[in-house]
Amino acid sequence: MDDPVDVRLAAEVSHDPRATLAQLSERVGLSVSAVQARLRKLENSGVIVGYQAILDPEAVGRPLSAFIEITPLDPRQPDDAPRLLEPLTAIEACHSVAGDAAYMLFVRVASPRELEALVSEIRHRASVNTRTTVVLQTFYEHRPMLSP
Amino acid sequence: MDDPVDVRLAAEVSHDPRATLAQLSERVGLSVSAVQARLRKLENSGVIVGYQAILDPEAVGRPLSAFIEITPLDPRQPDDAPRLLEPLTAIEACHSVAGDAAYMLFVRVASPRELEALVSEIRHRASVNTRTTVVLQTFYEHRPMLSP
DNA sequence: TCTGAAAGACACCCCTC
DNA sequence: GAGGGGTGTCTTTCAGA
C-alpha cells in the first residue's frame, strides 16, 4: 500500500467502518466512485482483512480475560498447538513468541471456574504446560493501527 | 443481554457488521423492523461497543508485534501508567494484570529498532521496568466473542 | 484512474394491526 | 413483533474524459 490516499482511506475506514462512501469521499477528497473503487481494491488485496463489531465482554457473558503462555511438555515432539487449540472458541488470539514460552494466548471466559476448565483443556489437548496471567482491568484495547 | 435472539443477532453482526438489515433479518428469523429495533438497542445499551475494520499489519507497515509487561520502579508511587502511555499509538491494548507485572501491553511497530525506541519511551514516560516478549508468528487473532 | 449521472436497493421513521 | 408506505440516502454501474 504505497499511495497516501489509500493510507488515509484505510485509516478512516479503520476508525469508522460503517461510514458511507459519501462520507469517506468527503474525508479523503475524492469522488464517491473513486472511493468505492479504492476500497474494493483494499479489500481484495488483503489490506483490509475484514470488519468486526466490537462487543462488550461483560454484556456477552465473558467478563474474565487472561493471557496464557504455553510450553510443550516435550520439546522434541512436532508441535501442533495452534491447530489443536483452534476449536476452543474462548481463545481470541494465538501467537508464537520468543522467550520462555512457545505460544501466547489471549482468552475470554465467563468465570474463574471456566478459566480453570479451559486451562485444563488446553493442557491435555496440546500436551503443554501453561502459565496464566489474569487480566484485572482493561484500560483500552482494539485501538486502530492507523491514526488519521 | 438475556434474549437468545439478541445473542444470535450480536453474533451475526459481530461476524459481518456490514450485512444489511434484510440479510440479518433472514439469519435471525425476524422481520426487518424488529431487527432494526433490536440492533439499535444493542448499540445504545453498549452491548455493541463499536465497529472496526481489521487491517493487515504488514500492509500498513507494522509487521512486528510484541507483548510488554511493565512494572513500576517505585511501587509506593501512585500509578498512572495507562493514562501516561495512552498517547503512544503503537500500543494497541493495555490491561492491568495479576502476576509479576502490573500491566500488560500489546504493541505493533515497524521494526526492531522502533520496538527499542518504544520500550525506551514507555520506560521513562511511566517510570517502569519492562519485559518484552516478541511475537514470532500470529496464528489467529480478533476471533469473535460469539460463535453463531 | 477519476468524475458524473441514472437506476435500483436500502435505511429510517411513522403508522396500523 | 409483523407489515407497509414514503422519503431521503446510499450503492452500483456505466458512460466519458
Side-chain angles (χ1 to χ4, degrees), chain A residues 29-31 33-34 37-38 41:
Chain A
L30 282 184
S31 73
S33 339
R38 281 172 180 265
K41 212 173 62 180

Side-chain angles (χ1 to χ4, degrees), chain A residues 72-148:
Chain A
L73 292 182
D74 181 354
R76 295 160 304 181
Q77 289 282 324
D79 175 2
D80 210 13
R83 194 181 56 76
L84 293 171
L85 299 178
E86 220 225 315
L88 304 179
T89 58
I91 302 176
E92 186 170 300
C94 171
H95 312 267
S96 82
V97 293
D100 298 335
Y103 300 96
M104 174 82 84
L105 310 178
F106 183 71
V107 306
R108 293 188 197 270
V109 292
S111 63
R113 180 172 291 274
E114 200 178 303
L115 181 57
E116 182 190 22
L118 176 64
V119 168
S120 165
E121 177 78 14
I122 288 172
R123 271 209 273 256
H124 86 265
R125 256 195 203 236
S127 305
V128 291
N129 277 324
T130 62
R131 177 174 177 270
T132 301
T133 300
V134 169
V135 170
L136 300 173
Q137 185 179 353
T138 295
F139 292 93
Y140 35 85
E141 61 183 339
H142 306 299
R143 299 216 303 180
M145 272 183 257
L146 295 176
S147 11

Side-chain angles (χ1 to χ4, degrees), chain B residues 21-48:
Chain B
L21 294 177
Q23 293 171 319
L24 293 175
S25 91
E26 218 176 282
R27 292 176 205 167
V28 303
L30 283 184
S31 72
V32 173
S33 357
V35 167
Q36 187 181 18
R38 280 172 182 266
L39 199 55
R40 276 183 74 101
K41 211 173 62 181
L42 289 177
E43 286 170 355
N44 293 333
S45 68
V47 175
I48 296 176

